[in-house]
Amino acid sequence: MGCAYEINDTLLLTREQGFPCDVFDYESHVKNPVTSADVAGKLFHFKGKPTARAFQLDPVRVYFIENTDEGKWLMWGKAFIQSLTIEHVKTTVDPGNAIKFQPGDWMTSGSFIVSEVYDPEYQRIATSHEVPAAWNFFADKS
């Protein structure tokens, strides 16, 4: 038996999973930066993270990263997870009628608060240093 439970220190979200693009939009952020004070006390929700996964819980931070429509990662700051729900959404059966675990069989959802928002300059530095080049939002930008 193995463990199919993933532990994350990063909350990487697409729009479909609940990334709050109405609050965090890069072009707007460069012109008029979102600050930690702007989102203080706001509770955000995510859903549809594939697999059963846990995140570091408040008061331990997780990195808060947008997975853009182009599949690039953009670091926004830090967050505190406030709730987690892990749901069994389907059962995979192989051709021999054996039940087997598949990553899509379980989904994780939850809520979080943003504890720190990076200013645009630090956002560029952090993303450039911490995100692998293949996914780095700034990799192809000059």
Side-chain angles (χ1 to χ4, degrees):
M1 282 289 192
C3 179
Y5 195 67
E6 193 173 306
I7 300 174
N8 297 156
D9 74 344
T10 299
L11 181 59
L12 174 69
L13 296 175
T14 63
R15 289 175 183 233
E16 294 77 25
Q17 293 168 334
F19 181 81
C21 54
D22 57 325
V23 177
F24 300 98
D25 172 75
Y26 180 70
E27 297 302 324
S28 298
H29 184 56
V30 169
K31 294 174 188 167
N32 185 23
V34 177
T35 67
S36 300
D38 294 332
V39 294
K42 291 186 181 178
L43 186 65
F44 300 98
H45 300 275
F46 66 93
K47 64 180 194 269
K49 293 292 295 173
T51 71
R53 61 181 72 220
F55 293 88
Q56 299 290 344
L57 300 175
D58 188 347
V60 178
R61 65 93 189 113
V62 295
Y63 291 110
F64 175 49
I65 301 179
E66 176 182 8
N67 187 352
T68 69
D69 293 339
E70 297 79 35
K72 299 295 184 173
W73 299 1
L74 177 60
M75 295 186 75
W76 279 95
K78 300 173 186 171
F80 291 139
I81 299 296
Q82 301 299 293
S83 69
L84 285 175
T85 301
I86 299 169
E87 296 179 276
H88 186 234
V89 294
K90 71 177 185 174
T91 300
T92 300
V93 179
D94 73 14
N97 259 355
I99 295 175
K100 58 189 247 183
F101 173 82
Q102 294 294 316
D105 293 350
W106 293 85
M107 292 288 187
T108 302
S109 59
S111 63
F112 64 98
I113 58 173
V114 177
S115 58
E116 181 180 348
V117 179
Y118 296 156
D119 66 68
E121 180 182 347
Y122 189 75
Q123 182 180 36
R124 178 179 284 278
I125 292 167
T127 300
S128 296
H129 286 278
E130 298 296 333
V131 174
W135 298 292
N136 190 314
F137 181 81
F138 298 108
D140 299 328
K141 298 177 179 20
S142 36

